[in-house]
Amino acid sequence: MLVLEKDMDRLPSDADMKYAFEQTGDKERARDRENEYKEEIERLLNTKKREAGLLKNKLSDLTTDDRLPLDADAYKNAEKRFTEYQDAFDDFKTRAANLNHQYQVIHLLEESNSSKQDEFEELFQEVNERRVEWEKQKRNLTSVEERLKLKNAEDVQKRLEAVIQDLAASSRHLPEVTKAAGSTEAAIRQLEGKIGSLKIQTTFFEQLKLAWEETFRTEYQSYLPKEGSLQNPEAIVRSMLKDFKLDIERKKRLLSDFENKFREVYGSLPDYRLEINDRKMIQEGEWTRGEWPSDLLPLLEQWQDLTHQRLFECDYQGAKATPSFVISKLDEYINQQSVFLEAQDQKLFEDIIYHSVGITLRSLIDRSEKWVKQMNEILVGQDNSSDLTLSIAWKAKAAETEEQLDTRELVSLLRRDAQLLSQEDLEKMIRHFRAKIESSKRRMLDKDNNQSLDQVLKEVLDYRQWFTFELSYKRKNESKKELTNYRFYKFSGGEKAVAMYLPLYTAVYARYQDAGKNAPYIIALDEAFAGVDELNIAEQFKAIEQLGFNYMMNSQALFGDYETVPALNIYELIRPKNANYVSMIAYHWNGKQRQLIHEEDEAILENNS
């Protein structure tokens, strides 16, 4: 009783326990909130990564047939050019139709003018003929009058009167013919003025057409290879505009994206001095400075405005250049450096294979194979009531590409004496490691990962990735089979427990074999053997004891007082009726009986153990 009172006196007060409980609850709630926030951030990050991957794939599919670089600048510039070309081409078609109509009007006017001219000449000739005839008749009249005095006066008189009447009729028609001739001359002068105006318009539109063609040819040629040439520009324009639809909103978005991207990279590329400059696509000819009619000047101004470009330029070796030119030069430099780096890579890989890294790899692989062999011997030698024998194998992986080697062949080459390796064998290993590095780099880019070269090399030289573990099982009177998920779920409860826990024990035990002679073989299990029945729990303790582990376990109901356990200290935590404190009761299992112990007894037991 005295001991119990002392124990009660040493217990913390209710206020202390309440404060500790509240602090613990606050910490747990804060930790839960942090975990929830972390999970939400990870979920959003993964969602954004998937969306980015889908958008990237979709963009790649949509731009497969394009010949433009896959960046916003190229597509923004191309769309701007296409929009301007479409507007200009539509206006050109309208002006060409008008010009064709005016050509037809000129032709009709010229034909009408020719007809009027012929009619005027006929009338003029008729007037002259009538005048000549009148003069002739006048002379004849005089002659007749003289003859009348001599003979047949009466007949001559009648004939003379008829002639006079004809002359009078001709005189009456003469003003009408003269008036018609004057109108015809005025119409001819008016048509000559229109012909002059149409000739000026024709000259203007011919010059404008040539200017637009040169503009299109210059711009389109910039997207072709150096050896390429532009053939049949009209057919190319028709093909471009056939399915082209002007999207003003998309144009605004692209322009905004371009400006945002420019501001984003401007500060990160100070050596290139990025600029956006205006320039003329082609030089203006002398015809643009001529005096043209006022109604044609808007067309000239439109062409002059649309041939201005916003050009993205940067400094390269002291001169202005386009980004595409700079990129091509940098690619050439990279290719030149690649030739140099291949020689350096050759030296690096030879050093890896011949010296430190190769020696370390061979040592680690040999050590791992020894560890797996030890694990397999322990698994095969284990005895359990389920009559289930497990085994484990460390299998070499096959090559992923033609340039890579099978793990079995690679390990065989690494184990050879470096001095006995042939040049062909050395080249095989170099190609293998180079292909693995390139594959890792591609995966790194796909994942938008920022691994360093050291990390890539570590991944490639991680020999654990060269092999795969294969767990197998065997029942009595049955052949050995690979333990797959499907077969595992068909196991009984005891068989599942053996398949889950025994490989873990043996793996830890095999690793402990490399420890010092006096090193403790400690394992810890949380929620130990949850879902395993009592008989199989006893079997698990038996396996743990056979391997000589020191262990700590916790469970809601497990006491560990099984016949397969020779000795065990047990601590039961009690929290009565949702109290704000926890009590502890200590027991000792001696292999046959579980006994309640006090603090003094517990200290004695611990000292003895």
Side-chain angles (χ1 to χ4, degrees):
M1 190 65 181
L2 183 60
V3 173
L4 182 59
E5 290 177 354
K6 290 181 179 179
D7 289 341
M8 294 298 293
D9 291 336
R10 283 195 292 269
L11 290 175
S13 66
D14 291 345
D16 293 339
M17 292 294 290
K18 181 178 181 181
Y19 177 77
F21 177 76
E22 291 176 349
Q23 290 295 313
T24 302
D26 292 340
K27 294 294 185 180
E28 289 179 348
R29 286 189 293 273
R31 183 185 61 191
D32 291 340
R33 287 193 298 270
E34 290 177 356
N35 290 336
E36 291 175 358
Y37 179 74
K38 182 179 179 182
E39 291 174 355
E40 179 66 18
I41 292 299
E42 291 178 348
R43 184 183 65 80
L44 292 175
L45 180 60
N46 291 332
T47 301
K48 294 299 182 183
K49 284 184 177 180
R50 287 195 298 271
E51 291 176 355
L54 291 174
L55 289 175
K56 188 175 181 181
N57 292 334
K58 184 177 180 181
L59 179 60
S60 178
D61 293 339
L62 291 175
T63 58
T64 300
D65 299 329
D66 293 351
R67 293 182 293 176
L68 296 176
L70 192 57
D71 57 67
D73 299 339
Y75 276 87
K76 184 188 302 178
N77 193 23
E79 183 183 31
K80 180 180 179 182
R81 299 281 76 76
F82 285 155
T83 302
E84 293 171 353
Y85 293 152
Q86 184 183 28
D87 295 341
F89 188 72
D90 290 343
D91 185 73
F92 172 73
K93 288 194 296 183
T94 302
R95 292 293 178 174
N98 292 337
L99 180 60
N100 186 41
H101 176 70
Q102 290 177 359
Y103 272 131
Q104 294 176 356
V105 172
I106 291 173
H107 182 68
L108 292 174
L109 290 174
E110 286 177 346
E111 290 180 352
S112 177
N113 183 34
S114 177
S115 176
K116 293 290 186 180
Q117 183 70 27
D118 293 341
E119 184 180 352
F120 172 75
E121 290 177 357
E122 291 177 359
L123 291 173
F124 187 74
Q125 184 177 359
E126 183 179 354
V127 169
N128 288 335
E129 290 176 353
R130 293 287 181 93
R131 184 178 290 110
V132 171
E133 182 67 23
W134 183 77
E135 292 291 339
K136 183 179 179 182
Q137 293 295 333
K138 186 177 181 182
R139 287 192 300 273
N140 290 337
L141 179 60
T142 304
S143 176
V144 168
E145 286 177 348
E146 291 177 356
R147 287 196 298 270
L148 282 174
K149 296 177 180 179
L150 300 176
K151 59 180 180 179
N152 298 328
E154 184 177 354
D155 294 335
V156 174
Q157 184 66 34
K158 293 179 180 179
R159 178 62 179 167
L160 181 59
E161 289 177 357
V163 171
I164 292 173
Q165 290 175 359
D166 290 338
L167 289 174
S170 298
S171 298
R172 287 195 300 271
H173 288 296
L174 183 61
E176 296 178 2
V177 172
T178 304
K179 182 179 180 182
S183 300
T184 302
E185 290 177 352
I188 290 172
R189 287 192 297 272
Q190 184 178 5
L191 289 174
E192 287 176 347
K194 288 184 178 181
I195 290 171
S197 176
L198 290 174
K199 286 182 178 179
I200 293 173
Q201 292 184 16
T202 301
T203 303
F204 175 83
F205 283 115
E206 287 177 349
Q207 294 292 337
L208 185 62
K209 176 177 178 293
L210 293 174
W212 274 117
E213 287 180 350
E214 184 180 357
T215 302
F216 176 78
R217 184 178 293 103
T218 302
E219 180 64 10
Y220 190 80
Q221 192 76 32
S222 65
Y223 293 97
L224 295 177
K226 292 182 179 179
E227 64 276 5
S229 61
L230 179 62
Q231 302 291 337
N232 196 357
E234 293 184 0
I236 294 175
V237 172
R238 292 193 194 95
S239 176
M240 287 180 175
L241 299 180
K242 182 178 180 181
D243 299 322
F244 181 77
K245 294 181 179 179
L246 180 61
D247 189 345
I248 299 300
E249 293 300 323
R250 182 170 180 269
K251 179 180 178 181
K252 291 180 180 178
R253 288 196 303 272
L254 289 174
L255 181 59
S256 176
D257 292 342
F258 168 73
E259 293 174 348
N260 292 336
K261 194 65 177 179
F262 178 82
R263 287 192 294 269
E264 179 182 337
V265 302
Y266 182 81
S268 59
L269 299 172
D271 295 339
Y272 293 95
R273 299 179 182 177
L274 306 181
E275 294 179 354
I276 299 178
N277 299 318
D278 288 335
R279 74 171 178 90
K280 291 286 292 180
M281 296 170 62
I282 63 172
Q283 296 298 323
E284 296 182 0
E286 290 292 333
W287 71 275
T288 59
R289 290 180 282 277
E291 295 183 1
W292 302 106
S294 59
D295 59 329
L296 299 179
L297 292 180
L299 298 176
L300 175 60
E301 294 171 355
Q302 181 190 38
W303 173 78
Q304 290 173 332
D305 291 339
L306 292 178
T307 51
H308 275 281
Q309 280 187 322
R310 295 188 68 191
L311 190 63
F312 182 26
E313 295 180 317
C314 53
D315 277 359
Y316 181 71
Q317 296 182 352
K320 291 294 182 184
T322 62
S324 58
F325 175 80
V326 175
I327 291 172
S328 65
K329 290 297 182 182
L330 292 177
D331 287 339
E332 291 178 3
Y333 176 77
I334 291 172
N335 292 333
Q336 293 172 357
Q337 293 299 311
S338 297
V339 175
F340 173 75
L341 289 176
E342 285 183 1
Q344 297 298 316
D345 288 347
Q346 185 85 4
K347 184 178 179 181
L348 172 63
F349 288 130
E350 289 179 0
D351 183 67
I352 289 174
I353 294 168
Y354 285 142
H355 301 103
S356 59
V357 178
I359 295 172
T360 303
L361 284 174
R362 288 191 288 271
S363 174
L364 290 173
I365 292 172
D366 292 341
R367 182 179 175 184
S368 298
E369 288 183 340
K370 179 182 177 183
W371 174 55
V372 174
K373 183 178 180 181
Q374 289 176 343
M375 287 178 57
N376 190 59
E377 290 175 353
I378 296 170
L379 284 172
V380 173
Q382 283 293 314
D383 184 22
N384 58 78
S385 62
S386 299
D387 196 22
L388 187 70
T389 302
L390 299 178
S391 61
I392 192 169
W394 200 38
K395 292 195 171 183
K397 289 184 178 180
E400 297 176 358
T401 64
E402 293 182 359
E403 292 81 6
Q404 298 179 15
L405 298 173
D406 291 337
T407 300
R408 190 181 305 279
E409 183 180 0
L410 176 63
V411 173
S412 175
L413 292 174
L414 283 172
R415 281 175 170 163
R416 292 185 190 177
D417 189 338
Q419 303 301 322
L420 300 179
L421 282 174
S422 66
Q423 186 63 31
E424 181 181 358
D425 293 335
L426 181 61
E427 290 294 335
K428 283 183 180 179
M429 287 191 284
I430 290 175
R431 284 198 303 270
H432 169 82
F433 286 115
R434 183 176 287 127
K436 294 287 287 185
I437 289 174
E438 292 299 324
S439 176
S440 298
K441 287 180 178 179
R442 287 193 297 269
R443 291 198 304 271
M444 183 176 66
L445 294 174
D446 292 340
K447 297 177 181 177
D448 294 330
N449 196 354
N450 294 322
Q451 284 183 303
S452 64
L453 181 59
D454 289 342
Q455 292 171 319
V456 172
L457 288 173
K458 287 179 181 178
E459 180 182 343
V460 170
L461 297 175
D462 187 355
Y463 70 97
R464 294 171 298 180
Q465 305 297 326
W466 304 356
F467 298 86
T468 180
F469 283 100
E470 182 179 290
L471 193 63
S472 302
Y473 72 96
K474 184 179 181 302
R475 293 191 180 96
K476 189 174 182 180
N477 299 324
E478 291 184 6
S479 59
K480 186 169 70 172
K481 299 177 182 177
E482 182 182 355
L483 181 56
T484 62
N485 288 338
Y486 174 76
R487 290 169 177 164
F488 173 79
Y489 288 120
K490 294 180 69 175
F491 280 178
S492 65
E495 289 174 333
K496 288 180 178 178
V498 171
M500 283 191 299
Y501 288 102
L502 197 54
L504 296 178
Y505 302 153
T506 55
V508 175
Y509 179 80
R511 293 297 295 160
Y512 275 143
Q513 296 302 299
D514 295 332
K517 184 184 297 184
N518 298 322
Y521 288 13
I522 298 176
I523 63 172
L525 296 179
D526 184 26
E527 296 293 340
F529 311 128
V532 182
D533 60 81
E534 292 292 320
L535 177 61
N536 287 296
I537 291 177
E539 292 288 339
Q540 294 298 317
F541 273 106
K542 177 182 176 182
I544 292 173
E545 292 292 341
Q546 287 176 346
L547 295 173
F549 282 123
N550 303 108
Y551 51 89
M552 295 178 290
M553 303 181 187
N554 68 56
S555 173
Q556 292 183 349
L558 182 66
F559 278 85
D561 46 357
Y562 298 98
E563 293 181 357
T564 55
V565 181
L568 185 67
N569 286 343
I570 306 165
Y571 299 91
E572 182 181 9
L573 303 180
I574 299 176
R575 184 185 179 191
K577 296 182 180 180
N578 200 30
N580 56 0
Y581 61 89
V582 178
S583 300
M584 181 184 69
I585 301 177
Y587 303 93
H588 178 71
W589 169 256
N590 58 12
K592 296 181 180 180
Q593 185 179 9
R594 185 174 64 189
Q595 299 174 340
L596 180 68
I597 59 175
H598 301 293
E599 289 187 2
E600 294 81 357
D601 300 330
E602 182 179 358
I604 294 172
L605 288 173
E606 289 179 351
N607 291 331
N608 292 336
S609 60

